[in-house]
Amino acid sequence: MRILVQTEPFDATALMQGFGAGAGAVVTFTGLVRDDDGLVALEIEHYPGMTEASLTRHAQAAAERFALSDVLVAHRHGRIAVGEPIMMVATAARHRREAFDAADFLMDWLKSRAPFWKREIGAEGPRGWVVAKDTDEAALDRWTNPQ
Amino acid sequence: MTLDILYFAWLRERIGAPREQIETSAATVRDLVAELVARGERHAAALSDLGAVRVAVDQVLSDLDAPLGGAREVAFFPPMTGG
């Protein structure tokens, strides 16, 4: 298991070297800063200490629930320009279903339970803080209350 | 007890500081919020809508009724927007 919390960009290719050796399936997801309505960058604040503990706990939960042989979570903070990666998860399992589901599960948890806050930066300067979406909370529910 | 109180995102901006240290005998987070609100206008404004505020006690997500016995650090912040 590997947890990275950093301001610098990460090199996804380098991070994946040797990841999940012996697994049958590796899934990676990378979230980028979307080109939204003249957005220039996102500024991401986090809670040092709690962030690392929270990511570690969620990665462990995913590893147990989906029988992962390896898991990686990388999340940046600070100023991140449009088009740059914000975060990445990678999961390794014997079969693809577990690897896909584990990545999906981790993303849903990170969206609304990891202590990060995004603020939008336009060409004119800082805009408001991004507001949490009800749909993110609902996405989380499906893992705790399966239909 | 001495508690470190941390604020993030718009709560930090409304309070005007990222952290403060207070002496308190608050038994729960709810009691602590009442003490903070009494400190002044900025605190009262930042903590006026508790439905929009999340709390962590010693870096673990918690709620208003959580006991504070033995706690060292309490953080207040808006709903998280990671990923």
Side-chain angles (χ1 to χ4, degrees):
Chain A
M1 186 170 83
R2 195 162 173 203
I3 306 294
L4 296 166
V5 179
Q6 60 188 47
T7 52
E8 321 74 71
F10 47 81
D11 179 345
T13 309
L15 288 179
M16 284 300 92
Q17 279 186 8
F19 179 86
V26 168
V27 164
T28 67
F29 171 86
T30 306
L32 311 176
V33 181
R34 191 170 36 240
D35 182 6
D36 258 350
D37 189 26
L39 194 75
V40 170
L42 285 178
E43 182 84 36
I44 300 183
E45 184 170 330
H46 80 119
Y47 184 170
M50 180 172 168
T51 303
E52 292 78 359
S54 167
L55 296 184
T56 301
R57 211 163 46 238
H58 291 131
Q60 275 167 350
E64 283 166 26
R65 180 165 177 161
F66 300 98
L68 302 180
S69 58
D70 207 352
V71 55
L72 173 144
V73 180
H75 205 303
R76 293 173 66 195
H77 58 97
R79 188 183 170 111
I80 308 176
V82 163
E84 282 188 27
I86 303 174
M87 55 89 58
M88 170 180 170
V89 302
T91 58
R94 288 187 60 76
H95 302 287
R96 74 185 150 86
R97 180 53 54 205
E98 287 76 20
F100 272 119
D101 284 352
D104 206 13
F105 167 91
L106 261 176
M107 284 309 305
D108 283 342
W109 279 95
L110 296 188
K111 278 263 170 205
S112 40
R113 290 292 183 275
F116 291 98
W117 300 275
K118 295 189 184 112
R119 151 181 269 172
E120 295 183 337
I121 311 287
E124 72 286 2
R127 297 178 183 172
W129 293 93
V130 173
V131 176
K133 297 191 199 81
D134 290 343
T135 48
D136 287 340
E137 210 46 47
L140 202 51
D141 269 354
R142 72 196 166 107
W143 299 105
T144 45
N145 303 304
Q147 298 300 307
Chain B
M1 65 185 155
T2 305
L3 271 185
D4 285 318
I5 314 292
L6 278 65
Y7 304 101
F8 293 96
W10 58 256
L11 270 127
R12 171 178 53 70
E13 293 177 331
R14 289 192 198 167
I15 297 283
R19 64 162 63 217
E20 59 188 329
Q21 204 169 56
I22 67 163
E23 277 300 322
T24 177
S25 55
T28 64
V29 173
R30 197 181 298 277
D31 295 344
L32 175 65
V33 168
E35 281 184 25
L36 292 170
V37 164
R39 285 171 84 91
E41 276 178 26
R42 298 188 78 106
H43 287 78
L47 296 166
S48 62
D49 177 11
L50 292 179
V53 174
R54 300 288 177 269
V55 60
V57 176
D58 287 336
Q59 305 194 352
V60 175
L61 275 180
S62 197
D63 58 52
L64 290 171
D65 295 316
L68 289 179
R72 300 181 59 177
E73 182 173 296
V74 177
F76 295 97
F77 42 78
M80 293 151 276
T81 53

